[in-house]
Amino acid sequence: PGRAAQAAPDLSRSALWPLLRSRAFVFLAVAGSIYKAATFGLTLHLVPVLQGKGMSLTDAAAIAGMFGIFGIAGRLATGILLDLLPTRPLSIFMFLLPVVVSILVFYAQGSWVLAIIAVAILGFSTGAESDIIGFMAARHFDHRVFGSVYSYMMAPVSVCASLGPLIAGMCFDQQGTYDLYLAIMAVLIAISALLIARMPGEASAAAAANPAR
């Protein structure tokens, strides 16, 4: 017990702050926050968005109901793919998928085919995002402080998730359509993917997590 106590990592606030200011932490937290705000806004407004594209309430609700199925599929598939493929290219690809969603929804105009494809991609990519953020965080931060770092990382993500629906609603109130929000969503998603692309390598993050004493 004495040796275990001596070997315990320094989890003081002074040891944690350098990690919270690191490039890896900031990029992951901001990328996740932007992504969640953009996609969660569309997810909660999905039925009226599809109605605005010429679909009846019944049809829009039926298509939106498929979201959960594809979300589960996305989470399962991403977990497998993260074990098989390089993390960065896969993460960038998954993060860019909602850009395709915004384009498909914009041009749907009553098309069941485009709407179903858009909802499938949205569900799949939304399910993938949480896996990717958690996986990349685990690869960049020491497991001894991972719980603390990850909780700080997910706090702004949760806050921004609540802002997405608000922004979508404000866009509709101002424009009478969700087209402006779809454009904003595409831009935000592109920024989040860029941040993922610019993530430091694991060696750099490890050096930041274990500064020389």
Side-chain angles (χ1 to χ4, degrees), residues 188-199:
L188 292 177
I189 290 298
I191 294 173
S192 68
L194 178 62
L195 290 172
I196 292 296
R198 299 296 297 170
M199 278 284 295

Side-chain angles (χ1 to χ4, degrees), residues 30-105:
V30 175
S33 298
I34 293 175
Y35 186 97
K36 189 65 76 175
T39 56
F40 201 56
L42 178 59
T43 301
L44 288 192
H45 287 261
L46 190 54
V47 171
V49 167
L50 294 178
Q51 284 185 276
K53 293 303 176 179
M55 293 191 166
S56 67
L57 174 59
T58 302
D59 291 346
I63 295 174
M66 302 177 186
F67 174 87
I69 298 174
F70 290 106
I72 296 172
R75 174 153 294 195
L76 293 174
T78 302
I80 296 172
L81 292 174
L82 284 170
D83 288 335
L84 299 176
L85 301 176
T87 304
R88 192 186 304 267
L90 175 64
S91 301
I92 295 171
F93 174 78
M94 290 295 188
F95 264 66
L96 284 174
L97 284 178
V99 174
V100 179
V101 174
S102 65
I103 295 172
L104 290 174
V105 172

Side-chain angles (χ1 to χ4, degrees), residues 105-152:
V105 172
F106 185 84
Y107 288 106
Q109 301 302 331
S111 170
W112 266 71
V113 174
L114 291 182
I116 291 174
I117 294 174
V119 170
I121 296 175
L122 178 64
F124 191 90
S125 59
T126 302
E129 176 263 346
S130 297
D131 283 357
I132 290 172
I133 293 294
F135 186 84
M136 295 187 76
R139 296 281 291 270
H140 281 82
F141 299 103
D142 193 298
H143 71 278
R144 294 170 298 177
V145 294
F146 176 76
S148 299
V149 172
Y150 192 66
S151 64
Y152 278 103

Side-chain angles (χ1 to χ4, degrees), residues 171-185:
C171 288
F172 181 82
D173 290 342
Q174 291 293 324
Q175 303 291 322
T177 71
Y178 288 96
D179 289 349
L180 176 60
Y181 183 75
L182 292 174
I184 293 173
M185 171 183 165

